[in-house]
Amino acid sequence: MDADKIDRQARRILRGNDRGGYTVPTAGLYPYQWNWDSCFAAWGFSTFDVKRAWFEIHTLFTGQWDNGMVPHIIFHKRADGYFPGPDVWQVDRVPHTSGITQPPVAATLIRSVYDADKHYGRVHMELIYGRLVAWHRWFMKNRVEEGMAAITHPWESGRDNAADWDAALENVDGSNVGDYTRCDTLHVDAAMRPSKADYDRYLAIVQFSRGVEWDDAEIAANGPFRVADVGMTFILLRACRDLLHIAAELDHYTGEIEGWIKTLEAGVERHWNPEGFYDSLDLRTGVFSGAPGSASFLAWYAGMQSEDLLTLLTDILDRTQFGIASLDPRRQRFDALRYWRGPIWPVVNAMIGLGLAEQGHTLLAAKLRRDTQRLIAEHGFYEYFSPLDGAPAGGSSFTWTAAIWLAWAGPHARGRL
Ligand code: GLC
């Protein structure tokens, strides 16, 4: 492997996807700024251009709503070839945004960017700190139920069509959404993307929330989809721990954040499915999703320990290559190349690997990092990959895959947050 050459390619991808202050996940398929992709992009930039990393974060927060929510897409400039665009979301602000959020990895990755740049970073941290707190406060007030983080749309989870949402989506009526034209399947083979029936339901949920003008209380009470997402709970808990660290460093009050951490730690226990893994839970019916997927293994990243989970992880790793499949391959719904129903995502490998290392599972963490390194070196900077043979899928020249190489997976990467 020519590591210098791959490093150069990764940097070229980040520069190439830069649209002037924000990075698109990949040209064509995703032509705007996506929330968590952007935070990972900042982490990648921080390895060679820390000023650009801060710029990425600031542009993300230009999309923050008055209520604190940071949306999942910021439509800074016009772009063709994406659906649903601003005219579908109808959010009354500029820059235009979607109406839902995404996993709050920001505090965690910003903390890492700050570590790479303590001197100038401090002023950026001071500017961003209040915005981070406002976003977390919005989560705790509007989305956390019994200590678990709820999502109101599958896209909020970042794992768009994961098996976790199947049962809850069955209860969403997608029959009245009207005509529309998808764009994703113009860019990528339809067999690798969510199905039409799923898409109808995704739009029905958007139409409901838009109809109540994105009123959080109304969405909580009557929205057609409300699932306690195990991935979201773990990521939010982890982010609160990093926010607490930042608060202490900047001499801010910490009591409120400490309270959030306690609430979420209690919530984690409710995610435990007695079948033997952390699971998502339909808040409308109280039923577990029964889908042991990669999100379950974010437990270590969130600071938890679990021997049962370790056994499940090694069982799954024995059956796959290159890291953690988005769904246990022994499950019937497993589909090696369909988006979040089987494929490996380097970004998820990274989060799980970081957590394992921090919790002392050093060998497993090192294996995950090595496997991700080999995956990208052999198969390229794609969006996702088959866990059976590493076959690449989805978009190419993908921003967060390049960022993961530079910050975590590559031989020259720091390999930790
Ligand atoms: C897909 C993924 C989501 C990601 C976005 C842009 O929607 O499911 O996690 O943020 O693409 O890469």
Side-chain angles (χ1 to χ4, degrees):
M1 173 198 325
D2 183 345
D4 288 333
K5 187 166 155 219
I6 308 176
D7 286 356
R8 280 197 300 278
Q9 283 169 350
R11 288 195 286 265
R12 248 200 322 272
I13 288 172
L14 290 187
R15 296 276 192 221
N17 288 339
D18 185 353
R19 294 292 177 274
Y22 69 94
T23 317
V24 298
T26 185
L29 184 61
Y30 299 118
Y32 304 104
Q33 183 172 31
W34 260 257
N35 186 325
W36 69 330
D37 297 63
S38 217
C39 297
F40 284 104
W43 195 32
F45 273 123
S46 74
T47 64
F48 66 101
D49 183 351
V50 77
K51 277 196 192 144
R52 181 62 190 74
W54 287 117
F55 202 2
E56 186 80 25
I57 308 277
H58 290 299
T59 50
L60 174 63
F61 280 98
T62 63
Q64 185 168 37
W65 287 13
D66 290 348
N67 66 3
M69 196 268 276
V70 183
H72 98 297
I73 308 176
I74 326 285
F75 302 106
H76 291 286
K77 293 180 205 160
R78 286 179 84 100
D80 293 328
Y82 181 79
F83 176 85
D87 49 329
V88 176
W89 295 95
Q90 294 176 13
V91 172
D92 193 12
R93 69 182 306 290
V94 174
H96 295 289
T97 70
S98 71
I100 56 174
T101 194
Q102 252 191 339
V105 292
T108 302
L109 295 170
I110 288 173
R111 177 179 169 192
S112 186
V113 174
Y114 178 47
D115 279 346
D117 176 33
K118 279 268 157 104
H119 187 63
Y120 292 107
R122 189 163 180 106
V123 72
H124 291 289
M125 281 304 327
E126 295 282 7
L127 289 171
I128 293 159
Y129 176 75
R131 291 183 169 271
L132 278 175
V133 173
W135 188 18
H136 283 221
R137 194 178 280 147
W138 170 85
F139 257 114
M140 297 306 298
K141 173 164 172 242
N142 298 296
R143 293 302 182 76
V144 173
E145 289 184 25
E146 297 181 47
M148 300 178 287
I151 55 169
T152 60
H153 192 298
W155 293 342
E156 288 196 312
S157 69
R159 308 185 317 286
D160 300 18
N161 65 330
D164 302 42
W165 327 129
D166 287 0
L169 274 181
E170 287 281 312
N171 297 328
V172 176
D173 178 5
S175 62
N176 292 315
V177 289
D179 291 336
Y180 64 95
T181 308
R182 282 170 73 169
C183 293
D184 57 327
T185 44
L186 301 176
H187 300 282
V188 172
D189 183 347
M192 298 177 183
R193 297 284 310 179
S195 68
K196 155 95 170 106
D198 281 346
Y199 238 82
D200 289 347
R201 290 171 170 137
Y202 297 154
L203 288 179
I205 303 171
V206 171
Q207 289 174 359
F208 172 88
S209 303
R210 182 180 81 190
V212 298
E213 296 178 357
W214 307 103
D215 182 297
D216 279 310
E218 191 53 44
I219 293 170
N222 298 314
F225 180 95
R226 199 164 184 87
V227 176
D229 169 12
V230 63
M232 197 65 120
T233 302
F234 283 146
I235 290 172
L236 181 59
L237 172 53
R238 169 59 190 254
C240 284
R241 297 194 200 281
D242 289 308
L243 191 62
L244 180 66
H245 180 94
I246 295 169
E249 174 117 1
L250 300 182
D251 289 328
H252 285 285
Y253 292 101
T254 55
E256 185 181 17
I257 305 172
E258 281 158 3
W260 296 341
I261 293 173
K262 282 208 184 74
T263 303
L264 293 165
E265 281 177 343
V268 164
E269 301 310 320
R270 299 192 174 88
H271 277 292
W272 185 256
N273 181 331
E275 271 191 57
F277 57 97
Y278 290 107
D279 200 359
S280 299
L281 186 77
D282 186 343
L283 291 168
R284 297 287 184 237
T285 61
V287 175
F288 277 117
S289 82
S294 46
S296 193
F297 303 118
L298 291 172
W300 298 287
Y301 173 84
M304 317 304 292
Q305 280 289 3
S306 164
E307 284 306 315
D308 290 348
L309 203 61
L310 214 49
T311 311
L312 178 63
L313 179 66
T314 39
D315 273 1
I316 292 182
L317 288 178
D318 284 347
R319 291 173 166 79
T320 53
Q321 288 192 69
F322 301 115
I324 308 196
S326 39
L327 181 62
D328 185 333
R330 294 167 295 184
R331 296 282 160 155
Q332 209 199 337
R333 290 177 284 175
F334 173 82
D335 186 342
L337 282 180
R338 198 183 282 276
Y339 224 37
W340 292 92
R341 304 178 79 83
I344 286 176
W345 295 70
V347 71
V348 179
N349 276 358
M351 287 190 288
I352 296 172
L354 289 162
L356 284 168
E358 289 166 0
Q359 296 304 318
H361 303 295
T362 323
L363 289 179
L364 212 46
K367 172 177 160 45
L368 209 49
R369 186 172 164 208
R370 244 187 353 259
D371 287 351
T372 313
Q373 190 177 103
R374 195 161 60 84
L375 177 66
I376 297 174
E378 288 175 12
H379 296 280
F381 290 98
Y382 279 84
E383 186 178 4
Y384 49 101
F385 304 83
S386 160
L388 304 180
D389 58 8
S396 60
S397 299
F398 222 84
T399 290
W400 66 9
T401 309
I404 290 302
W405 174 271
L406 291 170
W408 179 72
H412 302 140
R414 190 157 85 142
R416 57 183 173 80
L417 279 165

